Amino acid sequence: MRNVAISKMTGTIIVVIVIIAVVAAIYGAQLLSPPTTTTPTTTTTTTKKQIKIGVIFDIGGRGDLSFNDMAWLGAERAKRDFNVSITYLQSRSQADYVPNLRLLASSGDYALIICIGFLMTDALNQTASEFPNQKFAIIDSVVNKPNVRSILFKENEGSALVGALAGLITQTNKVGVVLGIEIPVLWRFEAGYYWGINYAANLTHKKITILYKYTNTFTSADVGKTVTEGFLAQGVDVVYNVAGLTGKGMLDAVYDYGVRYGKQIGPPFGIGVDADQDWIHPGFVIASMMKRVDNGVYYAIRDSVYGNFTGGIQFLGLKEGGVKMSDRNDLVQFIDIAKELGASLPDTPENIIAKYDMMRKSINSTVWQTISELEAKIKSGQINIPLPTTHDEIQAIRIRYGATG
């Protein structure tokens, strides 16, 4: 009996070994099979080896609650969805651009290196040629190299929406825009804004005066505030921020002016830019032209993870989710983001949202309906917004729409 029991046990062990061997063979065959290329339909994946992504900020850097923080948000979303590793480098001066690029590219570890901002154009032009097998992307500029994706946004489309809003709600028939350094990307903001104001003027038969000012800085809130105070003194009651941190001073000036006259909500109104800035001064920021830098960064990382990354120009507009005018959902989301980034909220989230609702309801509902219809026409291609690429073209647009600088 003992020999029989041993024999049965031996048989069982052999069966188990055979099963393990078969399973191992199947698993091994799967590992050796060529990968199947599929179009990603979800936002999550698991990679066998963690992919590394490099993100280099220009001198603007994190903390602007706008352009650069949007880029960071896109990278962090990709990090969660695709299990990638992100290395961030902050450039303290323009002299850091090339060394930072070489540092990451020479390691050979990074599937993709993303440059955040137009100011890194020259540095990437140089470095992309030195490392032809390294994939790069740049936000807001064009670098004509086969290994570089140039990510641009149709700011003219989003600006047309807020321009129409400004033209529809102005009570003094004077509107303004505060701009940073004059670079080609800002011409798209200008052109769309002026076009939108003119669109509203044609609908309402208003004669609207447009003032614009380049401040030559993206980082001085004091300059933005001073320029805006000058606009307000001339009767401007809606002002558009196209100046990064400088524009934060613009929003402060609008708020201070309103409070000085005992107002809880505008006019005057400010219009935020890049991120949702409606929460900064609730009741006085009527909307924001959101430039979805986060989506541009996210798409580049996603395509790199799935092997779909290509060089060339990628233009993201209203239809592609590259720009939009802020809404209530954006406000709620960005209150949370502002808290995450360590920004001080001006009030409780509940009070901010309540004042936002009161401000939006103070505007006739036909205004919002007009904006919604305009957005649909732009998305469908029924309406095309001017897209200047040269100084002569933007100058002609300024003259056409009567913008005074």
Side-chain angles (χ1 to χ4, degrees):
M1 292 296 292
R2 185 170 183 274
N3 290 337
V4 172
I6 291 173
S7 177
K8 288 182 176 179
M9 182 179 297
T10 301
T12 300
I13 292 171
I14 291 172
V15 169
V16 171
I17 291 173
V18 168
I19 291 173
I20 292 173
V22 170
V23 171
I26 293 173
Y27 180 67
Q30 290 175 335
L31 289 178
L32 293 173
S33 299
T36 301
T37 301
T38 58
T39 300
T41 55
T42 66
T43 56
T44 59
T45 187
T46 300
T47 56
K48 297 180 180 67
K49 180 181 178 182
Q50 192 173 42
I51 291 176
K52 290 185 176 181
I53 305 293
V55 176
I56 304 177
F57 294 103
D58 66 19
I59 54 175
R62 290 286 320 283
D64 61 355
L65 296 173
S66 186
F67 182 87
N68 289 286
D69 284 335
M70 289 290 283
W72 175 81
L73 286 170
E76 287 297 299
R77 179 154 54 99
K79 180 180 176 180
R80 293 191 296 271
D81 287 352
F82 306 123
N83 190 33
V84 296
S85 165
I86 309 284
T87 297
Y88 296 103
L89 289 183
Q90 173 62 56
S91 304
R92 302 299 175 189
S93 72
Q94 294 192 21
D96 291 338
Y97 296 159
V98 169
N100 281 342
L101 279 162
R102 284 177 176 156
L103 175 67
L104 298 188
S106 63
S107 72
D109 292 336
Y110 293 88
L112 176 67
I113 298 171
I114 308 175
C115 301
I116 309 301
F118 173 88
L119 296 177
M120 297 186 67
T121 303
D122 291 343
L124 182 56
N125 250 316
Q126 177 181 339
T127 316
S129 299
E130 295 175 8
F131 301 93
N133 296 322
Q134 171 68 60
K135 294 181 175 62
F136 297 94
I138 185 167
I139 301 290
D140 259 359
S141 188
V142 174
V143 172
N144 288 312
K145 306 289 181 184
N147 54 333
V148 178
R149 174 179 291 186
S150 301
I151 302 169
L152 304 177
F153 299 85
K154 297 178 182 176
E155 297 90 352
N156 54 325
E157 294 186 349
S159 296
L161 298 184
V162 298
L165 175 62
L168 291 169
I169 65 174
T170 179
Q171 296 180 4
T172 62
N173 292 342
K174 289 185 178 180
V175 301
V177 53
V178 176
L179 302 122
I181 300 170
E182 185 167 359
I183 52 179
V185 63
L186 266 61
W187 296 339
R188 298 198 288 271
F189 285 91
E190 274 195 83
Y193 187 57
Y194 304 155
W195 183 94
I197 294 166
N198 184 67
Y199 179 81
N202 288 335
L203 289 177
T204 59
H205 306 293
K206 293 179 178 177
K207 182 175 175 53
I208 301 175
T209 299
I210 305 172
L211 300 181
Y212 76 92
K213 177 67 176 177
Y214 274 97
T215 59
N216 293 320
T217 174
F218 285 112
T219 56
S220 174
D222 290 342
V223 171
K225 188 171 185 179
T226 299
V227 169
T228 306
E229 288 170 343
F231 280 177
L232 296 170
Q234 296 178 67
V236 169
D237 63 353
V238 186
V239 193
Y240 184 20
N241 166 24
V242 187
L245 275 175
T246 300
K248 173 64 169 56
M250 182 221 88
L251 298 177
D252 292 343
V254 168
Y255 171 76
D256 290 348
Y257 188 94
V259 170
R260 192 180 312 138
Y261 286 90
K263 294 190 171 188
Q264 292 292 313
I265 61 174
F269 289 114
I271 297 174
V273 75
D274 291 344
D276 182 297
Q277 298 184 320
D278 303 14
W279 60 272
I280 293 177
H281 291 303
F284 292 94
V285 184
I286 187 67
S288 299
M289 200 296 279
M290 295 181 64
K291 179 169 162 173
R292 299 303 303 270
V293 175
D294 58 328
N295 280 345
V297 169
Y298 182 87
Y299 295 161
I301 296 174
R302 177 200 62 189
D303 292 349
S304 182
V305 168
Y306 285 108
N308 298 325
F309 184 89
T310 55
I313 296 175
Q314 182 184 60
F315 238 129
L316 304 174
L318 281 173
K319 189 169 64 177
E320 297 83 15
V323 294
K324 67 169 295 191
M325 192 174 84
S326 60
D327 57 27
R328 195 176 190 275
N329 290 333
D330 298 316
L331 173 70
V332 173
Q333 179 187 11
F334 274 80
I335 287 174
D336 291 337
I337 291 171
K339 289 191 294 186
E340 182 181 348
L341 295 176
S344 298
L345 295 177
D347 205 337
T348 65
E350 294 77 14
N351 287 343
I352 293 172
I353 294 170
K355 189 169 285 188
Y356 170 90
D357 289 340
M358 181 171 62
M359 175 189 67
R360 287 280 181 129
K361 287 178 182 176
S362 73
I363 305 297
N364 193 303
S365 61
T366 58
V367 169
W368 305 115
Q369 181 62 31
T370 300
I371 300 298
S372 178
E373 291 170 356
L374 174 58
E375 179 178 1
K377 290 177 181 176
I378 296 172
K379 283 183 175 178
S380 70
Q382 184 178 346
I383 288 178
N384 293 306
I385 311 301
L387 184 64
T389 57
T390 68
H391 186 269
D392 287 345
E393 289 176 0
I394 187 59
Q395 188 60 25
I397 288 171
R398 289 167 183 159
I399 293 171
R400 183 191 313 163
Y401 296 121
T404 304

